[in-house]
Amino acid sequence: MRELQALEGAHPELVTPDSPTQRVGGKPREGFVKVAHSSPMLSLDNALNEGELIEFDRRVRELLKDQPYRYTIELKMDGLSMAAHYRDGLFEQAITRGDGQVGEDVTQNARTIRSLPLRTAAQMPRYEVRGEVIMTRRAFEHLNAEQEARDLPRFANPRNAAAGGLRALDMAIAAARKLDYYAYFLFVDGAPAFDSHWESLDTLARLGFKVNSHRAICNGVEELLDQYRKWEAGRDGLPYEIDGLVAKVDSVAQQQALGWTAKAPRWAIALKFPARQEQTVVENVGVQVGRTGALTPVAFLKPVLVGGVTVSRATLHNEDEIARLGLQIGDTVLIERSGDVIPKVVRVVAEGAERRPFQMPAECPVCKGHIIRHPGEAKYHCVNTSCPARLKESILHFSARPVMNIDGMGDVLADQLVDRGLVSSIADLYSLTLEQLTSLERMGQKSAEKVLANIANSKANPLPRLIAGLGIAFVGERTAQILADSFPSMDALMSASEDALQRADEVGPKVSKSIRAFFDEERNQELIRRLREAGLQFTYEPKRKDGGALAGKTFVITGTLPTLSREEAKAKIEDAGGKATDSVSKKTDYLVAGEKAGSKLDKAQKLGIAVLSEAQLLELLGG
Ligand code: IVH
């Protein structure tokens, strides 16, 4: 490596993109560019037990009208899917799944994955590989040991750690995660390269990709069931986590005959394993305070390995749940972990010799404020709206990606902002200064500038995101969207009566009451006033048609399209509920570019907006 680095240093013109020196280092990325997939990256339907698997097979047989067929069965590795594009044998671009249509360009980080070949001997001029980015148990345990040594929180599971690594802005973080890539699709022009899926897998392996060797051909459902039972028993012996198996009809012609639903193919199914369970002792019970002030009792457990991941706490939900379980401190319990869901206590297995009951504290464990339990509610709430625990959680919720999307606002920063008294309301985020940020620990000039820019950019988020960010009880992203569609300004929403609110889709008495209570609170009116002053988006143009394929998406068309006139393309977009505008801005979701696209294309690329061809637009429109 040293010798190569020296040679390349002397002859930079000889550095090729597939050189091993290009796998690490590099400058931190500014953000990720969005890229449309060659064909949608769909998810899979699940079979949660043997009955559902038999049902799946019955449907396949029926739809294939008794033609013979066979399945390829693969392990379902618990990571995140990624498409890797190759041109003339060289790795060119990697894209995360994203929303299935459009993902993020993670090429730089993908280069740090040693099992992703940078050069292959493929004959095809262009091809695409799809597969799973994972972290082995070993790499994961190693990472968590390092986190602990540096007094940082542990990662919940290998998948989260892998996702964080692949999307890290700093390549060095991605490299340090020691990610791995297993390929399971080989595509040319967005479609499978061979008629047999098995043949694609063999070809991938021959090209130098890691392809999981635990794969098999199954003739009939009985053989699928055998594999399911075998791997459910054998999964702990694997060096990585699997959460089930994937069965795919092997013939691509038959796959096409079976087709897809909106979400998943009809020719494949995920056979999910039941949740993992283990026994351990409840060493103590504590209380966590969430964003809405809800107090959640948490069991602190004697650490136990559950399917290869150490679990040391589990949620107990509320007092009633503890009573239902009959749980006391010192008891031995059965706990369960499924996917990335927080582990939960299933039941008490044995009472502890010196067991003692848990007592809900009389005051908030964080701010010592009053706590109350509203009639009909299971949880206690801290009533102090400026309780630091609530505030930290509110900042994290407000900044989350699907909400106001303030990159860089994580636990450590939120803690410091609240503890130092720099932020005592979400609105304070918009008056933070560079000096304040750089005065914090682990915050250099560059990162501080970036965070400030991200905060400033978040002002452009549309009203539904802002509504979701306020943290009104029972108002998540979906409800916020519905509210903005019915009340297209903050003022309209703030002054709506409970009756008027309930006229919006899906808003019932509970939600409308909570919204009214939120806006009637003086503190919250002050918050809204300050957010308005800061210049956030307080009005909204509702999407034209509910439920259209392009609902809520904004398009700009530029250049000459191969078949459609601009008017036709615009009409199609609007018919599907999308919006077509003339100029490219941060609010643009897609640029449809034809021949002779000029400055708009440049601008879109600068802003990281997804660029579509006419064919890709038509695909988004449903073919
Ligand atoms: S096929 C249209 N094969 O499971 C088919 N997926 O629940 C899409 N996964 O998003 C996927 N191992 O992240 C396929 N051998 C495998 C897989 C696999 C893991 C993941 C993948 C996918 C999810 C679907």
Side-chain angles (χ1 to χ4, degrees):
M1 178 66 96
R2 290 266 164 80
E3 191 176 349
L4 182 61
Q5 281 168 342
L7 283 167
E8 289 181 345
H11 303 280
E13 73 282 3
L14 296 181
V15 182
T16 58
D18 64 327
S19 165
T21 58
Q22 301 302 299
R23 286 199 188 265
V24 280
K27 291 187 206 94
R29 304 270 331 261
E30 281 302 314
F32 289 101
V33 172
K34 297 216 164 97
V35 191
H37 288 296
S38 60
S39 60
M41 278 182 93
L42 296 178
S43 177
L44 291 171
D45 282 335
N46 294 328
L48 299 177
N49 51 49
E50 300 196 350
E52 291 183 14
L53 176 58
I54 293 168
E55 177 54 26
F56 163 77
D57 176 62
R58 194 190 55 72
R59 247 185 359 252
V60 168
R61 189 164 355 109
E62 235 172 64
L63 290 169
L64 290 179
K65 304 210 172 52
D66 293 324
Q67 289 171 28
Y69 59 92
R70 50 186 211 162
Y71 295 105
T72 297
I73 193 147
E74 298 159 55
L75 301 185
K76 186 170 181 310
M77 307 185 77
D78 199 7
L80 51 148
S81 44
M82 182 181 89
H85 291 259
Y86 287 77
R87 189 211 286 254
D88 299 326
L90 287 182
F91 168 65
E92 187 175 56
Q93 188 178 40
I95 314 170
T96 61
R97 187 172 105 95
D99 65 3
Q101 308 281 352
V102 173
E104 284 175 322
D105 184 324
V106 289
T107 308
Q108 293 300 98
N109 288 347
R111 279 186 193 286
T112 69
I113 305 176
R114 292 187 180 261
S115 44
L116 184 77
L118 298 179
R119 179 191 287 272
T120 70
Q123 298 305 313
M124 305 152 286
R126 285 186 142 219
Y127 64 94
E128 174 183 351
V129 178
R130 291 185 180 178
E132 201 77 356
V133 176
I134 62 140
M135 227 174 146
T136 60
R137 295 186 209 273
R138 215 177 134 187
F140 177 71
E141 288 301 337
H142 188 76
L143 172 69
N144 266 346
E146 265 182 6
Q147 289 286 108
E148 275 182 0
R150 291 159 57 200
D151 215 14
L152 293 170
R154 289 173 63 91
F155 287 90
N157 56 52
R159 192 206 351 198
N160 287 3
L166 191 63
R167 300 194 66 262
L169 289 175
D170 183 348
M171 259 176 98
I173 295 179
R177 297 274 157 103
K178 306 253 183 295
L179 303 174
D180 226 326
Y181 185 71
Y182 282 82
Y184 48 68
F185 280 129
L186 176 57
F187 280 7
V188 172
D189 291 332
F194 295 95
D195 183 59
S196 150
H197 178 62
W198 186 264
E199 196 178 338
S200 281
L201 294 178
D202 275 349
T203 308
L204 283 165
R206 226 174 310 118
L207 289 175
F209 290 89
K210 257 197 193 174
V211 179
N212 203 303
S213 57
H214 302 299
R215 57 183 189 272
I217 290 280
C218 289
N219 285 296
V221 71
E222 275 310 319
E223 291 185 21
L224 288 180
L225 287 169
D226 286 346
Q227 290 283 332
Y228 183 58
R229 291 170 195 145
K230 170 177 152 191
W231 284 110
E232 197 200 330
R235 60 194 290 205
D236 281 351
L238 292 165
Y240 40 75
E241 296 221 310
I242 61 171
D243 58 346
L245 301 176
V246 182
K248 298 171 185 163
V249 169
D250 187 64
S251 149
V252 172
Q254 289 179 335
Q255 290 179 2
Q256 269 151 9
L258 290 162
W260 288 262
T261 66
K263 209 180 110 256
R266 287 201 195 85
W267 43 265
I269 190 106
L271 325 181
K272 296 274 238 173
F273 295 137
R276 318 298 300 267
Q277 299 187 328
E278 292 297 338
Q279 295 187 7
T280 186
V281 175
V282 178
E283 293 181 328
N284 206 348
V285 175
V287 172
Q288 260 168 9
V289 188
R291 168 168 56 88
T292 56
L295 270 58
T296 305
V298 179
F300 296 106
L301 307 167
K302 179 156 180 254
V304 59
L305 268 180
V306 187
V309 169
T310 311
V311 171
S312 50
R313 39 171 72 196
T315 176
L316 292 168
H317 302 292
N318 55 56
E319 261 190 327
D320 294 349
E321 173 71 3
I322 298 177
R324 189 189 69 78
L325 290 166
L327 177 144
Q328 296 196 9
I329 298 162
D331 289 354
T332 299
V333 291
L334 185 69
I335 59 161
E336 176 174 293
R337 183 176 76 89
S338 53
D340 58 356
V341 186
I342 309 162
K344 64 172 193 206
V345 176
V346 182
R347 64 185 150 85
V348 174
V349 183
E351 295 183 358
E354 284 166 37
R355 68 200 302 249
R356 60 191 164 91
F358 162 72
Q359 286 269 299
M360 202 68 185
E363 54 191 25
C364 169
V366 176
C367 71
K368 311 284 172 229
H370 273 345
I371 62 170
I372 51 163
R373 183 170 171 174
H374 296 290
E377 275 199 10
K379 288 197 174 194
Y380 280 88
H381 280 77
C382 167
V383 294
N384 174 10
T385 47
S386 39
C387 169
R390 294 183 60 175
L391 189 56
K392 287 174 187 174
E393 288 291 330
S394 312
I395 296 172
L396 293 176
H397 166 76
F398 186 80
S399 312
R401 186 140 19 111
V403 187
M404 294 299 273
N405 190 19
I406 304 179
D407 223 23
M409 186 63 70
D411 288 332
V412 179
L413 181 53
D415 282 357
Q416 292 195 72
L417 290 174
V418 173
D419 295 344
R420 298 270 200 100
L422 295 177
V423 171
S424 47
S425 136
I426 296 166
D428 290 337
L429 293 175
Y430 292 98
S431 45
L432 285 171
T433 64
L434 193 61
E435 285 91 76
Q436 287 176 331
L437 282 182
T438 47
S439 75
L440 302 176
E441 278 159 46
R442 279 190 264 171
M443 180 62 81
Q445 176 89 7
K446 263 249 156 72
S447 331
E449 279 169 7
K450 225 178 253 170
V451 171
L452 278 187
N454 293 342
I455 292 175
N457 289 339
S458 75
K459 291 182 189 177
N461 279 312
L463 181 63
R465 283 180 175 244
L466 175 57
I467 296 172
L470 295 174
I472 306 172
F474 312 120
V475 178
E477 290 148 48
R478 184 181 162 81
T479 307
Q481 181 68 56
I482 291 169
L483 288 170
D485 285 336
S486 308
F487 304 95
S489 74
M490 187 69 91
D491 292 320
L493 180 62
M494 282 181 81
S495 55
S497 66
E498 281 187 44
D499 281 346
L501 288 165
Q502 284 183 39
R503 266 176 252 130
D505 282 351
E506 296 178 36
V507 176
K510 191 168 93 174
V511 181
S512 62
K513 202 180 179 76
S514 157
I515 298 171
R516 253 322 343 129
F518 181 89
F519 287 116
D520 286 341
E521 174 83 36
E522 219 165 285
R523 266 179 209 274
N524 295 332
Q525 291 168 7
E526 169 69 10
L527 167 68
I528 301 285
R529 193 186 60 70
R530 293 190 51 212
L531 292 174
R532 187 195 306 263
E533 245 173 41
L536 278 77
Q537 303 300 313
F538 270 46
T539 57
Y540 180 65
E541 209 170 303
K543 58 189 177 192
R544 258 175 53 109
K545 278 193 185 160
D546 279 343
L550 308 182
K553 303 281 183 203
T554 303
F555 289 72
V556 173
I557 306 163
T558 186
T560 317
L561 303 180
T563 68
L564 297 174
S565 75
R566 229 180 258 200
E567 278 55 51
E568 285 166 338
K570 194 168 167 192
K572 277 185 187 292
I573 289 168
E574 287 175 350
D575 280 348
K579 214 169 88 177
T581 63
D582 284 329
S583 62
V584 175
S585 75
K586 271 194 213 118
K587 291 185 198 156
T588 311
D589 293 296
Y590 300 96
L591 180 78
V592 183
E595 268 202 36
K596 303 218 177 83
S599 61
K600 286 184 191 172
L601 180 58
D602 293 346
K603 180 153 183 206
Q605 282 170 340
K606 241 180 239 144
L607 290 173
I609 290 162
V611 178
L612 304 178
S613 64
E614 180 189 285
Q616 287 171 319
L617 169 67
L618 292 175
E619 201 160 287
L620 276 189
L621 287 163

